[in-house]
Amino acid sequence: STKDGKIEDIPATRSEKEIVCVCGAGDVSTCVFTLGLCSGLNHIESARLSNFAAGVAVIYPGLKLVEREELENYLKHALSGV
């Protein structure tokens, strides 16, 4: 919830690519959420970023380390509506 007590709905993000494997998606989400907080994002921004990262992780087989450049490209694509 936000500081004023309102609940913020943060929907899962989904790639246009098929989900291949969800192994490690929660770990990726947790790591990126924490990284966001440590980088100065608030908890809502961190949650949105972590959802995007998990969306990248699930389109690969097995465990996937999501690289910064790959996440940036995914975000640009997703946010541009392309």
Side-chain angles (χ1 to χ4, degrees), residues 8-46:
E8 180 80 22
D9 182 30
I10 303 172
T13 54
R14 174 129 195 243
S15 170
E16 294 175 359
K17 297 181 180 181
E18 181 180 342
I19 295 173
V20 176
C21 180
V22 297
C23 294
D27 294 330
V28 167
S29 180
T30 301
C31 289
V32 172
F33 180 81
T34 303
L35 179 66
L37 290 177
C38 292
S39 298
L41 298 179
N42 66 38
H43 66 285
I44 301 293
E45 296 164 330
S46 295

Side-chain angles (χ1 to χ4, degrees), residues 12-19 51-52 54-60 74 77-78:
T13 54
R14 174 129 195 243
S15 170
E16 294 175 359
K17 297 181 180 181
E18 181 180 342
I19 295 173
N51 281 351
F52 276 107
V56 172
V58 299
I59 62 175
Y60 296 96
Y74 181 76
H77 177 76

